[in-house]
Amino acid sequence: MAMLRRFVPATIATLGDREIEIRMSTAQRARDGHILEPSGCDLTNFLANPIVLFSHDVTKPVGTASDVAVEPDCIRAKVVFAPAGVSPTADEVCGLTKAGVLRGVSIGFNILDGDPIDPARPRAGLRATSWELYECTICAIPVDTGAVVTARAVADKAEWKVGAARDLPIDDSGEWDGQEAQDSIFEHAGGDDFDPVKARKGFLVYNAAKPELRGSYKLPIARVVDGELKVPKEAIRAAASRLPQTDIPDDVKEEAGKVLDAYKKKAKIGDDEEERALAARRRRMSGVQPQPRLRGLYDCAMLAYLLDQAGYLHSGAAMEAELEGDNSAVPAMLGDALQKLGAALVAMTAEEVDELLEGHNVDGLGADDDDDDTEVPAAERAFVRAGKTPRIRAWRRGTAAIRTRAGRVLSKANAARLDDAHGHLKRAANHAAKASGHIDDVGEHHDALADAHARAMTAHDKMADAIEAANGSAPADVAEKIAKVQQHHRAIGKHLDAIGERAAAIGAAQDGAEDAIEGATRAIREARRSIRSVQDAAGDDATVDDNELDDRAVAHRRREAEALALAVA
């Protein structure tokens, strides 16, 4: 049976540094239509593995639940987050919860037994008298608005101070590894149970409110060399570059800057030397950076994937705005971005396909020497000059030269190879046309999806109005009002089905576009191989006079011109 999920908002309580108190579930009816009776909850399997996740993602455990208590109107628990530094996700979720940003709690559950809340509408929601708790999650969007959750302890205020010793010797070895230096400082200060007084000497700043935690120390400027703390020149430069972005009070930054200035002077680091060192680091970085490359059809596929993800985000934001009723501007903003991204995909794909099919720089053939027809027989020059662009003329000149260089005509083998090239080019053009059609379909489906979503929202508003009218109606009119509510509810279901169908159609159209683009790319490669094989086998052609070109060679040139016209259309 599918796992159901419920979200509840969180409130504030004073607990430990890595603890919050939550109310997992209430006895009130939630927006999903169900009522979960706390007394009917089966906690057996959950207590054996009381995992707490983030946003129902099983790859993101952030802590465990303890002190789980079933009360008449709710289920309470305490969440203990993973220790600081163990999981970046746990640290982030703990911080956001402590700050009051994340206030939602969700549960995954399975209803084992229950009765319809309204017998006349058995699918509208159940009163669950027996249900199993699967998991608990910290999340952003609440559903059970009637539940109240205790949440966070106010974090202790940090007390940042400059910690570095002022009399450490300079290390001229040159190399610097910040993490390695940090580990060596803590080991030098005593290892796991380090001495804060010794540890702070190797760091530029530290949090004096919690000196026993490794996370309280920032910007290492020293490392242990032969059992002694020493300050490398590169450490001074690294700390100076990171200090402006460090989250500490301005007065502490100013004092730390003075310490760095003193060490610069001691290490004889002047402005010119520092600038040379920075320039050297930039050169080293540029040597390992990936070289820039031109856009290609692979990038079109990447852009199509981004478009698909943007559509998913737009749908999620619209649903969240509908649930919360906060008139959020985010769905409209994402919708605008979605339209622009779709237009960019269409334009980019058309551009890249056109460039490939024009034979862009194929085998070195370009637009140079546009008027140089000396190697082309007189009978072929009119054919070459009839090309509308320099690229087309270069392509025609190259193929004419291949076929007729030094008065040669095609051998049967070369004629077959060029037949293959002509077929490949035609297939590439067909694939390009299919890709363009699929991309147009994506745009049409997105428009239809947006229209269905708007209709669903309208129907939802009407249903809300009908519910309100039913609440204020005389008993004799309630049945009529409820019928209207049911009518609007069915309309919402119909529009949601349409949204699902359009989303599936978008995915299919995007897959089709990607397949067509890949097909065009393969066909272009095959055509290039066929052309190269003709060049490599040019000696197989027979020597004749210019006016003795056989009909087969002329027919090949005409067919190649047709394929080229398809490519640039």
Side-chain angles (χ1 to χ4, degrees), residues 492-512:
I492 291 174
K494 177 181 178 182
H495 296 314
L496 290 178
D497 290 342
I499 289 174
E501 292 173 359
R502 290 295 181 176
I506 288 172
Q510 288 174 339
D511 291 342

Side-chain angles (χ1 to χ4, degrees), residues 220-343:
I221 63 166
R223 66 180 173 195
V224 179
V225 180
D226 297 330
E228 181 184 11
L229 283 178
K230 294 185 178 181
V231 179
K233 291 183 179 180
E234 285 298 319
I236 300 172
R237 297 187 181 101
S241 66
R242 291 175 55 195
L243 180 59
Q245 291 79 38
T246 304
D247 186 16
I248 58 177
D250 291 340
D251 58 336
V252 180
K253 284 185 182 179
E254 183 177 355
E255 186 180 351
K258 293 178 181 178
V259 174
L260 288 176
D261 291 340
Y263 272 115
K264 286 181 182 179
K265 185 176 181 180
K266 186 176 182 178
K268 298 179 180 180
I269 300 176
D271 293 339
D272 293 342
E273 182 183 352
E274 189 169 0
E275 183 59 34
R276 287 195 298 272
L278 288 173
R281 283 202 298 273
R282 293 190 194 102
R283 286 194 297 273
R284 288 197 298 270
M285 290 177 64
S286 65
V288 299
Q289 293 296 319
Q291 295 297 317
R293 64 181 180 83
L294 298 177
R295 288 184 291 112
L297 290 174
Y298 178 77
D299 302 276
C300 295
M302 292 179 63
L303 188 57
Y305 175 76
L306 292 176
L307 180 65
D308 179 61
Q309 294 301 302
Y312 173 78
L313 291 174
H314 177 261
S315 299
M319 183 176 295
E320 178 181 343
E322 178 68 16
L323 286 173
E324 296 183 347
D326 57 358
N327 295 321
S328 172
V330 173
M333 297 169 67
L334 287 175
D336 292 340
L338 193 64
Q339 293 291 336
K340 292 178 181 178
L341 193 60

Side-chain angles (χ1 to χ4, degrees), residues 68-152:
V68 180
V70 178
E71 299 181 359
D73 62 342
C74 68
I75 298 177
R76 295 182 180 273
K78 181 171 67 176
V79 174
V80 181
F81 290 102
V86 172
S87 165
T89 302
D91 292 344
E92 180 182 6
V93 174
C94 180
L96 290 172
T97 307
K98 294 288 187 180
V101 177
L102 279 178
R103 299 173 60 86
V105 178
S106 170
I107 60 170
F109 62 95
N110 178 30
I111 296 178
L112 303 176
D113 193 12
D115 300 310
I117 297 173
D118 182 357
R121 301 172 61 203
R123 297 185 180 181
L126 296 175
R127 179 182 298 276
T129 56
S130 176
W131 54 283
E132 181 181 3
L133 178 63
Y134 283 167
E135 49 90 9
C136 178
T137 285
I138 306 299
C139 62
I141 306 172
V143 168
D144 190 345
T145 58
V148 178
V149 181
T150 57
R152 64 183 177 93

Side-chain angles (χ1 to χ4, degrees), residues 5 31 43 51 195 279 281 302 325 334 392 437 462 494 509 515 528 541:
R5 293 168 176 170
R31 286 177 175 173
L43 292 168
I51 194 70
D195 182 355
R281 283 202 298 273
M302 292 179 63
L334 287 175
I392 295 177
K462 291 181 179 180
K494 177 181 178 182
D515 292 343
R528 292 178 64 181
D541 297 334

Side-chain angles (χ1 to χ4, degrees), residues 152-458:
R152 64 183 177 93
V154 179
D156 295 335
K157 185 176 181 180
E159 185 182 349
W160 290 101
K161 293 184 178 180
V162 175
R166 274 62 163 181
D167 57 352
L168 298 178
I170 300 298
D171 177 17
D172 293 322
S173 59
E175 296 298 327
W176 172 251
D177 185 322
Q179 185 60 50
E180 181 182 347
Q182 179 174 310
D183 294 340
S184 73
I185 294 171
F186 285 122
E187 187 64 28
H188 178 69
D192 293 337
D193 189 19
F194 63 88
D195 182 355
V197 175
K198 289 184 178 180
R200 72 191 190 196
K201 293 181 179 180
F203 293 87
L204 190 58
V205 295
Y206 75 105
N207 180 11
K210 295 184 178 181
E212 74 281 0
L213 299 180
R214 290 196 176 203
S216 295
Y217 297 82
K218 293 186 177 182
L219 302 179
I221 63 166
R223 66 180 173 195
V224 179
V225 180
D226 297 330
E228 181 184 11
L229 283 178
K230 294 185 178 181
V231 179
K233 291 183 179 180
E234 285 298 319
I236 300 172
R237 297 187 181 101
S241 66
R242 291 175 55 195
L243 180 59
Q245 291 79 38
T246 304
D247 186 16
I248 58 177
D250 291 340
D251 58 336
V252 180
K253 284 185 182 179
E254 183 177 355
E255 186 180 351
K258 293 178 181 178
V259 174
L260 288 176
D261 291 340
Y263 272 115
K264 286 181 182 179
K265 185 176 181 180
K266 186 176 182 178
K268 298 179 180 180
I269 300 176
D271 293 339
D272 293 342
E273 182 183 352
E274 189 169 0
E275 183 59 34
R276 287 195 298 272
L278 288 173
R281 283 202 298 273
R282 293 190 194 102
R283 286 194 297 273
R284 288 197 298 270
M285 290 177 64
S286 65
V288 299
Q289 293 296 319
Q291 295 297 317
R293 64 181 180 83
L294 298 177
R295 288 184 291 112
L297 290 174
Y298 178 77
D299 302 276
C300 295
M302 292 179 63
L303 188 57
Y305 175 76
L306 292 176
L307 180 65
D308 179 61
Q309 294 301 302
Y312 173 78
L313 291 174
H314 177 261
S315 299
M319 183 176 295
E320 178 181 343
E322 178 68 16
L323 286 173
E324 296 183 347
D326 57 358
N327 295 321
S328 172
V330 173
M333 297 169 67
L334 287 175
D336 292 340
L338 193 64
Q339 293 291 336
K340 292 178 181 178
L341 193 60
L345 174 60
V346 173
M348 182 175 173
T349 304
E351 180 180 324
E352 295 306 319
V353 171
D354 285 346
E355 286 183 6
L356 278 177
L357 297 184
E358 284 178 9
H360 180 56
N361 288 333
V362 176
D363 294 331
L365 296 178
D368 298 335
D369 302 324
D370 195 33
D371 296 328
D372 184 11
D373 291 337
T374 55
E375 294 189 5
V376 179
E380 299 300 315
R381 290 173 187 168
F383 167 70
V384 171
R385 292 172 180 171
K388 294 182 180 181
T389 67
R391 291 192 191 282
I392 295 177
R393 291 193 291 274
W395 178 279
R396 292 187 177 189
R397 186 184 302 107
T399 55
I402 290 173
R403 300 176 186 281
T404 62
R405 187 175 297 142
R408 298 179 185 275
V409 295
L410 291 172
S411 65
K412 290 184 178 179
N414 281 346
R417 294 183 184 110
L418 288 174
D419 272 335
D420 290 341
H422 173 254
H424 292 315
L425 286 173
K426 274 192 170 181
R427 284 194 293 276
N430 291 335
H431 285 306
K434 290 179 180 178
S436 178
H438 287 307
I439 291 170
D440 289 341
D441 290 342
V442 169
E444 292 176 1
H445 290 312
H446 269 295
D447 291 341
L449 187 148
D451 180 66
H453 179 264
R455 293 175 182 272
M457 293 183 66
T458 300

